[in-house]
């Protein structure tokens, strides 16, 4: 490798959408894990992402709400088609929150995500993953708090699985 090639490092952008903060925490662990793997990584809320210029690869994470992926993530896919087809894109979503583990819930969440992504047939992610979400009834706002009833708080984020997924992204993001 000559000096010129050495100077060109691969810059990854991790973008996240969140309502209650749990997806942001997952995105931060993904970013740290990628950095530990030797990549240069920026992280920012998807709603602040104006351009993907300068980034070689993108990781997008957002939660499911009411059967839909977070609107900031959907909007980005609509607005950045050209840029996203030119770079490797990895995707994760947060969804399932039922305790104990409910295989049907996980399947339903995955189907919701697949259905959302199918609206963008040009999108060919190098990885798609569903992680468990966090549910905190104390944080719900009116009127959702009334609809939620007495479902107990839960946190199904599996940090080991999240780190493993992120560590395995490195060759995929290299394109
Ligand atoms: C009102 C509400 C609706 C939700 N709807 C769904 C859903 O349709 N599908 C799903 O898989 N998860 C659903 N979830 C679970 C969220 O995706 C999960 O709580 C996630 O961790 C929230 O992410 P955030 O903390 O980044 O906002 C819902 C959660 C709430 C509070």
């Amino acid at each position: 490798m000559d000096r010129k090639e050495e100077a060109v490092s691969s810059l990854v952008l991790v973008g996240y959408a969140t309502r209650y903060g749990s997806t942001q925490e997952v995105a931060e662990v993904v970013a740290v894990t990628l950095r530990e793997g030797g990549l240069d990584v920026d992280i920012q809320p998807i709603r602040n992402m104006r351009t993907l210029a300068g980034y070689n690869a993108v990781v997008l994470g957002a939660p499911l709400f009411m059967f839909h992926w977070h609107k900031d993530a959907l909007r980005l896919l609509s607005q950045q088609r050209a840029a996203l087809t030119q770079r490797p894109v990895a995707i994760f979503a947060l969804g399932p929150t039922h305790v104990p583990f409910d295989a049907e819930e996980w399947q339903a969440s995955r189907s919701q995500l697949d259905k959302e992504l199918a609206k963008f047939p040009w999108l060919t992610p190098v990885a798609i993953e569903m992680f468990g979400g966090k549910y905190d009834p104390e944080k719900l706002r009116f009127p959702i708090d009334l609809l939620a009833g007495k479902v107990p708080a839960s946190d199904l984020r599996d940090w080991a699985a999240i780190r493993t997924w992120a560590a395995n992204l490195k060759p995929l993001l290299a394109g």
Side-chain angles (χ1 to χ4, degrees), residues 86-167:
Q86 289 160 8
R87 298 163 170 76
V89 180
I91 284 185
F92 69 86
L94 268 65
T97 53
H98 290 180
V99 178
F101 172 83
D102 177 349
E104 276 182 25
E105 184 199 19
W106 280 76
Q107 265 168 20
S109 297
R110 180 62 201 229
S111 302
Q112 290 164 12
L113 178 64
D114 288 344
K115 213 169 156 190
E116 292 289 79
L117 297 181
K119 294 174 185 165
F120 307 91
W122 49 266
L123 183 70
T124 52
V126 295
I128 304 176
E129 191 60 72
M130 176 67 60
F131 295 125
K134 182 178 179 182
Y135 176 73
D136 182 357
E138 301 288 313
K139 282 191 176 176
L140 297 184
R141 285 171 236 145
F142 179 85
I144 293 172
D145 56 343
L146 297 182
L147 298 171
K150 291 209 183 319
V151 180
S154 64
D155 188 350
L156 267 58
R157 293 171 299 171
D158 179 340
W159 297 108
I162 291 162
R163 283 193 199 92
T164 301
W165 182 76

Side-chain angles (χ1 to χ4, degrees), residues 7-26:
V8 180
S9 68
S10 180
L11 185 57
V12 177
L13 178 58
V14 175
Y16 62 86
T18 189
R19 195 186 288 177
Y20 299 108
S22 64
T23 310
Q24 178 176 353
E25 289 168 357
V26 172

